Structure formats: structure tokens, C-alpha cells
Amino acid sequence: MENEERPKSFIRTFIDEDLAAGQYTHVMTRFPPEPNGYLHIGHAKSICLNFGLARDYKGRCNMRFDDTNPVKEDVEYVDSILNDVRWLGFNWEDRLYYASDYFEKLYECAEKLIVSSDAYVCDLSPEEVKAYRGTLTEPGRPSPYRDRSVEENLDLFRRMRAGEFEEGQKLLRAKIDMNSPNLNMRDPALYRVKKVTHHRTGQKWVIYPMYDYAQCLSDGIEGVTHSICTLEFEDHRPLYDWVLEKLNWPSPRPRQIEFARLNLEYTMMSKRKLLQLVKENFVSGWDDPRLPTLAALRRRGLTPSSIRLFCERIGVAKKDSWIEIDWLEKAVRDDLNPKVKRILAVLDPIKVVIENFPQEVVEIVEAPYYPDEPQKFGFRDLKLTREIYIERSDFEINPPKGFFRLAPDREVRLRWSKYIHCHEVITDSTGQVTELRCTYSDEPRGLGQKSGKNGKKPAIIHWVSAAHNVRAKVRLYDRLFKTPRPTGDLQNELNEFSLIERQSAVLEESMAKIEAGQRFQFERLGYFIADRDYTDSERVFNRIVSLKDTWAKIRDKVSD
Ligand code: ATP
Ligand code: MG
């Protein structure tokens, strides 16, 4: 399925052209996360893209941490990121790198830029730097420190490294063009003072390189050929090229290519927002199955292959857009469908007493686990007894038009078994249905009921024996936000029904001996996974995805 035919992406066209022109003889990419949060499905797109290109062009893809901003970084994130990339199915072999490994080399390059008069130490305060930069409509003004001598700059830069200056007092800046229409070229910062401990280099450094400066050089040092990043860096590309050019970087130099980041409807990828959701307890942690983090999707039960399939299907584009969540859900269903057994489970049970079914009888039905190809996963015995459970939503006391399932004086078929006809409804003092009294027959009786699509065959519903079953707790996950394109207003945009717990679900008896991590289709309900905390005494399942778009189902609730 992962080899579905798809048009060639513009990135592959670029690479093919570069190879044909002899610009490069091989392909080398990298995935460069900043270890300041957990990876999310947007990162998966970048991972699949970079590692996928390396695989298809028989090249290599490096794993590199862009750890140039020690304030927000942490080893906890490093570990989780490596784990997630591995889980997605990609392998960097022995090529795990850190931008911090290059700090000495980056420092030497900065001295070279000073010596060639392409960089200078600036004493303007952060506010002044901003004011001098100008705007999109106004040119910038040169810093009064722009024309310092090479000697003075070298001396000041070395003293910056030695810790003689405080944060905000001095900045190393590229000397480019304060009139450039591109703000990124108006003497951008290359190094700033930051007196913080780095998770790898400790207190060795008190100056840290800026992202733009570190990224192109890290790529250059590793021999990256195609440096793929998201669109917001398009305007940074001239700076990327400028740094390598000014340093006379040997050819072939890396080529930066930008693509549109993934925006997925009903969720948010911003690390800041994800952190807020976790820290303010809107969700239970980084792996709360409602989040778009890979840790959460893993716990929810998504397979790595379904995420790869999704990434492949959405492709890469040059223009930002939003992807409908259905694309992800469909990829998950398409991936799981041929891989898992189908079983019967009732999440919100109502008891049905089949009055003409003798108390002591257990009728065995041999049912295939995979109806389309019965031999695939074999068969199990279902046990029909006098008392069974059916889904509360499969019964309506006053059925609306278009409701074809069970109702008073109507008939349905039990999956793999008999027809039942409801002749009595028992309710409690609040009007809640507590029990249905039915009679069975081996053939539909057509007893004046109107069930069945187009008035034809009765609808088929799922059921579980009340005498032979296992109890479970089931968590039904839904979209985290109720607005398709959330802005981040957590008070108003979160979906209050994103988690519904069913405490007393019943599963067919064959589910008595399963293990954490096993996935199933519960017929008519969706795909489920035994949670990682599943035990024989606490059976907990997570719904991975429903069988169809449940929201569409709500829209046309009347059609079954
Ligand atoms: P954020 O802006 O949320 O902090 P980021 O882009 O800074 O995310 P990084 O850790 O720098 O996160 O990202 C690592 C790589 O993943 C980068 O190459 C980035 O372009 C890519 N990436 C991040 N978010 C997405 C996304 N939504 N879609 C595609 N690629 C992404
Ligand atoms: Mg980033």
C-alpha cells in the first residue's frame, strides 16, 4: 500500500535535475529537530520526506539535533525524539549528530567572517537593533558599530566568548545590506551572549550561534546535498547561501529547498500550544491520545505504517494548506483493515431477554475473524444465550424516520445469528430503558415492522452474550478541537467530548486472553487497541479510529 502510484513531487524533480546536471553525485538529507518538545505528526511528514528521499535515491539521511538554543532544550526531548524516529521505522545508522558538536568549528568560521570584514560586533541594545532594522517599507539604518576594525572586532568577539559581556550587551552580526528588501539580510545576528548551561556542552560556551548561521554550516559540515525545510525559511535562503559563499565553502554546497508544513484540521502543531495543553492539564500528558504528538498517536494505537501512508498520500506542496483529518483517519483504517481480527463488543449495553430461548441452552456459532477471507485469521465460537447485550444506540423507543434498527415491534438480525423481534420495553423510574424482551426466529418474520434499508432485509446489529463475556473499560477519543482550524483559544475551541469513557463495555468471550498493544476491529464501532496499561484485571481499550467519519454520521444521523 505504501507504493501507491503518485505524481512526482517538486522536490524529486529538483533532485533529479541536480543529479542530471552533475551538481551532486549522490543524495544526502537530514532531519534536524530542535530538542525543545515532543515530535508531532508535522515532524513525521518531514521525517518521512527526508528519510524517504535518502531511501529512494540510495543516499543517506542524518539525524541531527539543532541544539543551539539551550534555554528551552532538554535531554528528555532528545530521548523521546530518537525513540519516535526509530518507531516510525527510520534508521540513521551511526549518523547521529548535534549542532553543538560543531560549536568550535562554527566559532572559527565566525572569526573568518570577521577577518574578511563580513561580520562585526555590535553594541546596540536588542531594542535598538530592532529600531535600526527598519520595516518592510522603510530601509534600515547602519549600526554605529558597523565599521569597527577587524582587530577590534576580533578582540571583542574573543572577549564575548570569554564571558566578559552580559546578555544583550554585544552581538556578532553579519555585515550584509541594511537596505535589502529582505529583512533577514539587514545585518542579521550570528552569535549572541547567553549565560546558560547547555544540556551537552555544559558551561563551556557563553555565546551561542543563531539558527540561520548554524543550520547552513551544520549542513555543509555533514555534506548534506539537499537541505529540506518548511516554507517560513524561504526568505532565509539568501542568508543560508551568503554564509557559505563568504566562507568560500567548497562545492558541492547544500541546496535549501522549502516545502509547505503540515497543518492538520481539528488539531494544533505549535510546540508552544502543545506545551500549554500539557502543562495546564487540558490533557493527561505528552502521550494523551488526543494530541498530535507521535507519542500520543502511538499510545492511541496508530501504526507507524499508517502514519507513513498518510504522509505519502498527502505529498509535499509548495503552498501552505490545511489537510482534512479524514485523510489521516482513512490512512489508519486502510492500514489496519487487513491486519486485524474483527470481534463483537458492546460499549454501552442494554440487556435483551430472548423469551423463547431456553435458559440452559448455549448455541454455538462459528464465526470467522475476517469475514472477507475467512481462512485468514480462522474462526472462533460465539455463544448465543437467552440473555444478551446489545448497543444502547441500536434501540430507539420512538424511532425517528430512517432509523432501521431495533424498536418496539420491530425486528433485527443478530450478527452471525438469529433474528430478534422486540415486543416489550422495560424502563426505570427515569424513563431509561433497562431491558428489552424479545423473541427469536431463524428466518425474518416480517411481523409488520418497517426495519431494513428500503424496507428490505432487517438491519444487522452486534451483540454479546450476557453469560459469556469479558468486561472492559473503553476510551472513545475524538477530535481535540471542535473548530477545524483552531487559533489556540483553549477556553472556547476545545471539544468537550474529545474523551468519552465507557466503564462497562462487554466483549465476546474470545477476548479473555489478549495482551497490551493488540489491535482489533470491534464490528460497527471502529478500531481499538488494548492500552499499554492493559491487564487481565483492568482491561482498558482505546479507540484508534471510528469506522467512518462519526461527525458525518451525526450530520446524517437518520440514515443508518
Ligand atoms: P515549532 O515551530 O512548533 O517549534 P519547529 O519547526 O521549530 O516547530 P523543529 O524541531 O525545528 O520544530 O522541526 C524539525 C523539522 O521538522 C524542521 O525541518 C521543520 O521544518 C520540520 N517541521 C516542523 N513542523 C512541521 C510541520 N508541521 N510540517 C512539516 N514539517 C515540519
Ligand atoms: Mg525550528
Side-chain angles (χ1 to χ4, degrees):
M1 224 181 316
E2 287 189 54
N3 295 320
E4 292 173 7
E5 281 294 319
R6 232 159 268 114
K8 187 159 88 174
S9 74
F10 73 97
I11 296 183
R12 286 172 194 257
T13 304
F14 283 176
I15 294 178
D16 289 343
E17 286 167 3
D18 289 347
L19 291 171
Q23 174 82 4
Y24 307 103
T25 54
H26 65 286
V27 171
M28 174 104 215
T29 57
R30 85 286 176 263
F31 174 61
E34 195 182 340
N36 64 354
Y38 280 69
L39 293 186
H40 51 59
I41 189 150
H43 292 114
K45 176 173 174 176
S46 174
I47 295 167
C48 291
L49 179 59
N50 281 297
F51 281 94
L53 288 170
R55 175 195 61 214
D56 296 347
Y57 284 92
K58 304 208 174 356
R60 283 171 298 162
C61 177
N62 290 353
M63 178 71 217
R64 181 204 313 146
F65 284 103
D66 164 37
D67 55 349
T68 51
N69 185 7
V71 184
K72 295 189 205 153
E73 295 164 4
D74 200 283
V75 274
E76 175 197 351
Y77 299 131
V78 170
D79 295 343
S80 81
I81 289 171
L82 293 177
N83 186 38
D84 286 346
V85 176
R86 233 180 265 120
W87 175 74
L88 262 187
F90 297 105
N91 185 353
W92 53 88
E93 294 161 337
D94 56 353
R95 297 179 315 279
L96 169 59
Y97 302 118
Y98 294 82
S100 56
D101 294 342
Y102 312 137
F103 280 174
E104 196 61 51
K105 176 85 183 163
L106 301 190
Y107 177 84
E108 280 167 27
C109 289
E111 285 208 352
K112 276 191 199 157
L113 290 176
I114 293 173
V115 170
S116 59
S117 291
D118 290 308
Y120 62 97
V121 174
C122 179
D123 298 0
L124 291 179
S125 69
E127 298 72 37
E128 288 168 325
V129 170
K130 199 158 171 252
Y132 274 71
R133 184 174 297 130
T135 63
L136 282 173
T137 50
E138 282 170 46
R141 281 177 292 144
S143 158
Y145 306 98
R146 202 170 195 260
D147 294 318
R148 274 178 164 152
S149 68
V150 168
E151 292 67 35
E152 190 183 1
N153 278 321
L154 265 185
D155 174 60
L156 289 171
F157 187 50
R158 287 173 184 165
R159 287 164 58 195
M160 276 170 73
R161 177 178 182 167
E164 285 187 31
F165 305 109
E166 297 310 313
E167 295 184 21
Q169 277 188 339
K170 294 255 183 305
L171 206 55
L172 183 74
R173 299 176 69 177
K175 196 192 280 187
I176 310 181
D177 179 4
M178 290 308 289
N179 290 317
S180 171
N182 182 343
L183 293 176
N184 296 303
M185 298 300 271
R186 293 186 189 170
D187 291 9
L190 302 179
Y191 266 90
R192 75 276 207 215
V193 175
K194 262 192 203 281
K195 298 197 167 169
V196 285
T197 307
H198 186 282
H199 64 102
R200 296 193 82 238
T201 57
Q203 296 186 334
K204 177 164 183 211
W205 293 90
V206 291
I207 55 172
Y208 289 95
M210 301 301 290
Y211 173 88
D212 282 326
Y213 176 70
Q215 191 72 8
C216 55
L217 289 178
S218 303
D219 288 341
I221 291 167
E222 293 175 17
V224 166
T225 56
H226 296 87
S227 175
I228 297 164
C229 61
T230 39
L231 278 181
E232 67 272 24
F233 292 104
E234 193 167 10
D235 291 345
H236 299 234
R237 190 182 343 131
L239 177 56
Y240 184 104
D241 293 337
W242 181 93
V243 172
L244 294 169
E245 175 63 28
K246 289 295 170 191
L247 288 166
N248 276 320
W249 202 267
S251 291
R253 289 181 194 156
R255 170 179 184 183
Q256 177 178 308
I257 304 175
E258 307 84 17
F259 72 101
R261 66 170 46 231
L262 170 65
N263 294 304
L264 188 60
E265 287 188 346
Y266 298 102
T267 190
M268 289 196 86
M269 311 279 185
S270 143
K271 282 181 194 159
R272 200 169 48 82
K273 277 293 158 194
L274 294 177
L275 190 67
Q276 191 187 351
L277 284 163
V278 173
K279 290 280 180 281
E280 295 177 19
N281 297 318
F282 287 103
V283 294
S284 65
W286 284 107
D287 66 352
D288 184 301
R290 290 167 291 183
L291 291 178
T293 58
L294 295 182
L297 298 177
R298 175 165 59 239
R299 181 160 191 197
R300 179 150 174 176
L302 272 74
T303 52
S305 47
S306 66
I307 297 176
R308 294 197 302 263
L309 179 63
F310 166 71
C311 291
E312 212 164 289
R313 283 182 179 171
I314 58 172
V316 285
K318 261 191 276 198
K319 236 181 105 213
D320 270 320
S321 68
W322 284 78
I323 300 290
E324 291 170 13
I325 188 101
D326 306 22
W327 282 78
L328 178 61
E329 294 179 350
K330 177 140 187 353
V332 174
R333 290 183 201 113
D334 289 349
D335 177 70
L336 289 178
N337 176 31
K339 295 181 180 168
V340 301
K341 292 179 178 172
R342 299 185 185 182
I343 61 105
L344 300 186
V346 175
L347 303 187
D348 185 10
I350 345 181
K351 187 190 278 187
V352 171
V353 178
I354 308 173
E355 293 188 328
N356 57 342
F357 197 102
Q359 186 79 54
E360 58 295 345
V361 170
V362 177
E363 196 171 298
I364 307 268
V365 197
E366 203 184 48
Y369 277 121
Y370 197 77
D372 290 347
E373 284 170 64
Q375 297 311 324
K376 185 167 177 156
F377 298 130
F379 296 77
R380 85 288 195 190
D381 287 343
L382 291 176
K383 292 178 179 165
L384 183 68
T385 49
R386 179 180 165 89
E387 295 192 356
I388 61 170
Y389 293 116
I390 67 165
E391 204 70 66
R392 186 164 291 280
S393 59
D394 279 336
F395 177 81
E396 283 284 351
I397 202 157
N398 295 305
K401 190 170 171 300
F403 181 87
F404 298 114
R405 289 160 283 167
L406 201 58
D409 204 30
R410 284 198 186 177
E411 186 175 47
V412 291
R413 180 169 194 177
L414 300 177
R415 178 66 159 149
W416 304 117
S417 187
K418 300 176 183 301
Y419 296 84
I420 56 167
H421 173 261
C422 173
H423 58 80
E424 190 185 344
V425 181
I426 299 171
T427 55
D428 63 15
S429 56
T430 66
Q432 162 106 320
V433 176
T434 53
E435 191 177 302
L436 303 174
R437 311 292 290 193
C438 296
T439 51
Y440 85 82
S441 57
D442 289 324
E443 294 301 325
R445 290 177 294 178
L447 287 172
Q449 93 286 358
K450 298 189 179 63
S451 60
K453 266 192 183 133
N454 310 320
K456 287 186 196 143
K457 286 190 204 147
I460 299 174
I461 64 168
H462 56 276
W463 58 279
V464 167
S465 161
H468 302 273
N469 62 54
V470 285
R471 301 260 154 188
K473 191 161 117 182
V474 177
R475 302 187 189 124
L476 301 174
Y477 291 106
D478 205 336
R479 291 153 197 192
L480 183 54
F481 287 87
K482 57 189 168 195
T483 39
R485 299 178 182 194
T487 59
D489 172 1
L490 301 183
Q491 297 307 330
N492 294 305
E493 293 180 328
L494 284 178
N495 171 13
E496 54 274 50
F497 304 111
S498 60
L499 170 58
I500 295 173
E501 292 196 277
R502 296 279 185 227
Q503 302 292 338
S504 45
V506 284
L507 319 179
E508 62 172 69
E509 205 177 25
S510 76
M511 294 291 281
K513 289 209 168 18
I514 65 146
E515 285 166 17
Q518 275 186 271
R519 298 179 180 85
F520 298 88
Q521 184 191 114
F522 293 0
E523 285 204 44
R524 300 181 65 229
L525 298 170
Y527 292 94
F528 293 76
I529 186 168
D531 187 63
R532 60 140 194 257
D533 292 338
Y534 180 99
T535 61
D536 285 346
S537 51
E538 250 265 293
R539 301 185 149 96
V540 185
F541 288 85
N542 302 326
R543 183 168 69 192
I544 307 169
V545 67
S546 61
L547 282 187
K548 32 183 179 175
D549 176 356
T550 42
W551 285 33
K553 209 157 104 192
I554 290 167
R555 280 196 297 275
D556 41 57
K557 194 166 185 207
V558 283
S559 76
D560 184 9

